[in-house]
Each structure stands twice: as C-alpha cells, then as structure tokens.
Amino acid sequence: MPLSVLEQSVIKLIDQSRDEIVALMQKLVQIPSYSGEEKEKGEFLVKEAAKFNLDDVRIVQQIVDRPNVMGHYYGKTGKPSLTVYAHYDTVPAGDITKWTYGPFSGAIVGNRIYGRGVNDHEFPIPPLLFAIKAIKDAGVTLNGDIVFAFVCDEEFGGHRGMKYVVDEGLCDTDYLLYAGGGGDGKTMGIASNGRGYYRITVKGRTQHTGRNDQGLNAAVQGAKLILRLEKLRHEVNNRRLKFKAGDVEIEGRARFSINLVHAFTTGNNVPDICTVQIDRRLIPQHETFESGQTEIQAIVDELKTEDPEFDAEVAWNPERWMNFSVSVPDSPLVKALQRSVAKVLGFTPTIATGPTGGSSDHGWFNLKYPDRPFVSYGIGRGGNTHTYNEYVTIDGLIDSTKVYALLMMDLLGVAQQPGRLSTTSSSSK
Ligand SMILES: [Zn+2]
C-alpha cells in the first residue's frame, strides 16, 4: 500500500528518532518496577512524557506510590477518540544469576534490548510517545483526541492501574489500543481470558514438634489437596472451547496453575495453616469466576468426605481477578490498524483466533464499555516474557512506532497538514 507524502514525512522523522527511541527504552528498563513498587519508574515516566508536549501530563493514583501516568493529545474536533496504553509494572526478575545480561542492564546485543519488563510490557511506551512526536513535528494536527495511559498493577490484576483509571472516567474514549503483543505483528488480538485467583486455606492443628503426632500438619494436608488438584489442572489445561467475537470464532483455552503455597509455622511447631493459591484463566462466554471456584470446591468436598480431619475453605481473591475482553473484528479501529500495518510492513495482520490463554487489564475497559472496540497490537518481536533474558528487538520498536503513528493519523483523521512538505526539517512548535 503506497504511503502518502505526509505519511512518508512522518516515517522519515521516526527513522531519525531511532537512537532516542532506543535510549528511552533502555532507561525505562533500567529502573525496576515490580508490581507494588512502581513509584520510581512512574516518577521517571511522568517527567519523560512531559517532554513530548502532551497536555495534562500527570500522575493519577488510587493509593500512594502506585502511580499511573496519564496525558492527552487534543485534536481539532476531538472526534473520534482513542486511548493508547501499556502497563509498566513487571513480575520479579527471579534468580538474577540466570540472566546473561542482567535484568536491569538494558543491554543491547545485536538487534535486541534485554531486561525485565522490556517485552511485558514497557516496549510500547517509547513507540507511542515518539509516534505522536513525529506527527506533531511533521506539522500535522489530528481531528481526534488521544488519551495516553501508562499504568501500574497489571500483573496483580490492574485494580490500582487500568481498572482505577477506567472507573474514574479517564479513558472514556471511542476506542482502546492495548499497545501490546510483542510478537511478529502478523496477528492482532480482540479477545482475552478472564482471570480468577483462588485461595484455599487448609487447616491443621498446631502442636509442639516434640508432640507432633498429636498435631495435624496443615502442610501435609495441603500436599494431599495439591496432588488432587493436579488432576483438575490437567483437565482444565486441556479444555478448549470456542467463543464468538462478532462473527469470528475464537478458540478459547482455559488455564490452571498452582502458583503459591505457604504453610505457617515458627519452625518449632506443627503448622496449622497452609494456603494454596491458584491462578486460573477463564474462557469468555463459558467459564465464570463462580464456575472456576465450584470446580475447586468439588475437590475440597471430595477430600472432606474421604478424610473427616480434612478441613479447608475456598475463596476468590477480589484484588486479583480480571474481567475477560471480547471485541469485534470489523471495527474502524481494526480496519485502520490493518491499513497502517500493510503500509509499514507490507502485510495485513489477521485476527488472532486462538488458542488464547492470557488475560490482561483491557478487560476493565471492556467491562465498562462493552460496545466500544479495542484491539491489542505490537511488533516487539521479543520473547522470554516472565522468565530470564527477556528481550525486544530494536527493529520491532521502530516498526511499532511507525504503525502507531499511521494508525493515529488514519483513525483520528488529519485536520491540518503543512503546506510545503518538502521542508521535512520543520520542527514542532
Ligand atoms: Zn505479565
């Protein structure tokens, strides 16, 4: 698909910003931002975002030291409007000796930038900022508005992050772009799983170690439960159910993993409490938080019947659940994105039809505005998410910047452009 003269001028400006895009990516990844510990990076980000001459750049937070960074681009008519966002909290680095380049090195090796959070999920942040910079520097004014949101807390469920800013009405836009999916850019997402987070509290009877035969060890009771849950885990993880997003059929994939186990004891006592926590990803239109809990409860009830001493309670964690997302395949957002990708990369991305497995914080937008289209898309060409040596590629960063810029122009419309495009060196006002 041929580029207009205006688009060529924006693309050229992005190519000229290559080193700055890479430098911002490096700086971001060099600041740790584990979920719950986002303060330092949030404060860095708000200062960086302010350099891009956006309006209303500010920190918005539900509780102290959990910043979300927001900003606006106001177009000529304000219509249509688009929220672009990414989350910048990360999971922990794990055993740092297993990282070849260090989780906060931001090391560049060939085409790759390494570091915790670079792929999940900071890589879209420099592209989104440099996309709007190139548009402005090219002398272009858009019709529509853009809300920029760089949010915390996604890894825990987004309750302090995306859920909060959406509930506050700060993303009340016609469309949402989750600048995500650091894959090869061949597909775009319009659906994702919901998430249930269950805690089972297994009860024992404490006793002095010297009289441990008279106690009931909650850790051992918990182990019996875990072995039984393993059967359910296999069954759930093999579950594939189709659901509809508009007229597209998507293959949903359920997920079940026992991710936290903790038995309480001072070390010289028999533990009387063991908690087992399950991260469960729920297929839209088939599974609910309640149905996920019912399956676990059935296992607990089975054990109670078999063993009169077995005692446990199942609860779902209201701080960690996530809504599912389901959008439509033929929205103006999807169409504009397809055109933009075709111009930059020479192919048209298709709708991802599964199997899906993940969930993310765009579920909060989808819950509040079920009829407003969203799409998730990015071209990080990265990998090793949530494990060692997480990376993205530099060419993926640059391509993402170009796609986001063309998408903004296509979807929101160009209200004004410079009269003489030959002077591409004309800078921002
Ligand atoms: Zn993640």
Side-chain angles (χ1 to χ4, degrees):
M1 213 177 275
L3 293 167
S4 70
V5 177
L6 194 57
E7 287 167 336
Q8 285 174 31
S9 125
V10 168
I11 296 282
K12 190 174 171 192
L13 285 165
I14 291 168
D15 281 327
Q16 288 166 357
S17 300
R18 184 184 181 91
D19 292 347
E20 289 174 87
I21 296 170
V22 171
L24 178 57
M25 187 76 262
Q26 270 191 306
K27 279 192 223 161
L28 272 175
V29 83
Q30 284 164 350
I31 305 170
S33 54
Y34 299 148
S35 278
E37 300 171 21
E38 301 102 337
K39 180 174 188 276
E40 189 185 348
K41 192 174 286 176
E43 286 173 355
F44 170 79
L45 248 178
V46 79
K47 284 190 202 126
E48 286 300 310
K51 295 177 189 170
F52 288 81
N53 293 322
L54 300 173
D55 293 301
D56 309 332
V57 174
R58 67 207 187 278
I59 281 176
V60 176
Q61 54 190 7
Q62 185 184 33
I63 56 168
V64 71
D65 295 344
R66 305 290 311 273
N68 300 290
V69 176
M70 307 283 300
H72 277 99
Y73 167 87
Y74 291 113
K76 195 166 185 206
T77 64
K79 279 276 159 194
S81 54
L82 168 71
T83 296
V84 294
Y85 91 101
H87 75 84
Y88 72 90
D89 63 304
T90 76
V91 295
D95 180 354
I96 58 168
T97 65
K98 295 201 169 140
W99 286 75
T100 311
Y101 304 105
F104 306 107
S105 63
I108 294 178
V109 182
N111 185 34
R112 292 181 175 185
I113 304 176
Y114 286 90
R116 169 55 82 232
V118 74
N119 194 45
D120 180 8
H121 215 110
E122 290 160 7
F123 92 89
I125 297 174
L128 289 170
L129 291 171
F130 278 91
I132 195 67
K133 180 179 190 297
I135 288 170
K136 290 164 92 173
D137 286 356
V140 175
T141 304
L142 301 176
N143 274 318
D145 287 348
I146 306 174
V147 174
F148 290 80
F150 305 129
V151 297
C152 67
D153 197 41
E154 190 270 352
E155 298 291 351
F156 281 177
H159 291 246
R160 313 290 188 193
M162 199 57 182
K163 182 174 192 304
Y164 176 67
V165 298
V166 167
D167 285 350
E168 289 292 297
L170 303 176
C171 301
D172 186 4
T173 52
D174 299 312
Y175 304 105
L176 177 81
L177 169 70
Y178 176 45
D184 59 8
K186 298 269 170 62
T187 59
M188 53 186 144
I190 57 164
S192 70
N193 281 353
R195 181 193 199 189
Y197 206 84
Y198 306 99
R199 178 191 285 122
I200 310 163
T201 306
V202 183
K203 295 168 191 169
R205 198 168 54 246
T206 193
Q207 188 50 273
H208 189 287
T209 301
R211 291 185 294 278
N212 69 81
D213 289 343
Q214 294 162 37
L216 178 66
N217 192 314
V220 175
Q221 297 295 87
K224 289 180 197 164
L225 171 69
I226 288 168
L227 290 175
R228 198 64 65 89
L229 287 171
E230 264 299 276
K231 287 187 195 161
L232 178 61
R233 185 178 75 82
H234 282 293
E235 189 190 318
V236 169
N237 284 344
N238 285 322
R239 195 173 290 162
R240 301 276 194 280
L241 296 166
K242 290 194 185 330
F243 63 94
K244 294 280 262 189
D247 57 4
V248 169
E249 209 169 56
I250 294 181
E251 186 179 1
R253 177 167 60 165
R255 304 276 84 194
F256 184 115
S257 186
I258 301 162
N259 286 355
L260 273 176
V261 179
H262 190 196
F264 295 87
T265 171
T266 53
N268 54 359
N269 260 24
V270 174
D272 59 350
I273 294 281
C274 176
T275 56
V276 178
Q277 298 196 48
I278 295 163
D279 188 354
R280 178 79 159 79
R281 308 304 169 101
L282 302 148
I283 303 174
Q285 300 165 10
H286 294 283
E287 299 182 310
T288 63
F289 310 105
E290 291 79 8
S291 73
Q293 183 165 338
T294 302
E295 287 179 316
I296 295 166
Q297 185 67 52
I299 304 256
V300 167
D301 291 344
E302 208 175 273
L303 278 165
K304 280 182 177 171
T305 313
E306 291 168 20
D307 174 3
E309 286 208 301
F310 187 85
D311 188 12
E313 275 172 21
V314 187
W316 65 303
N317 187 333
E319 294 274 301
R320 296 282 184 101
W321 73 283
M322 277 176 155
N323 196 60
F324 62 83
S325 298
V326 178
S327 190
V328 288
D330 51 0
S331 66
L333 172 63
V334 164
K335 300 288 176 206
L337 181 59
Q338 285 177 323
R339 285 191 292 271
S340 304
V341 175
K343 285 175 185 170
V344 175
L345 299 175
F347 60 79
T348 302
T350 56
I351 301 290
T353 53
T356 61
S359 41
S360 195
D361 49 2
H362 42 75
W364 300 121
F365 181 86
N366 203 225
L367 181 66
K368 179 142 181 165
Y369 309 114
D371 297 327
R372 298 191 194 175
F374 89 89
V375 72
S376 69
Y377 189 77
I379 324 155
R381 304 187 184 105
N384 297 339
T385 298
H386 284 219
T387 177
Y388 309 111
N389 298 321
E390 182 176 350
Y391 69 93
V392 287
T393 63
I394 292 172
D395 61 11
L397 276 174
I398 307 306
D399 286 342
S400 294
T401 311
K402 292 174 181 175
V403 167
Y404 295 151
L406 297 197
L407 170 69
M408 290 169 184
M409 289 163 68
D410 185 323
L411 183 70
L412 304 182
V414 172
Q416 271 173 306
Q417 50 181 286
R420 294 172 63 86
L421 290 167
S422 53
T423 54
T424 48
S425 59
S426 69
S427 61
S428 60
K429 306 294 173 294

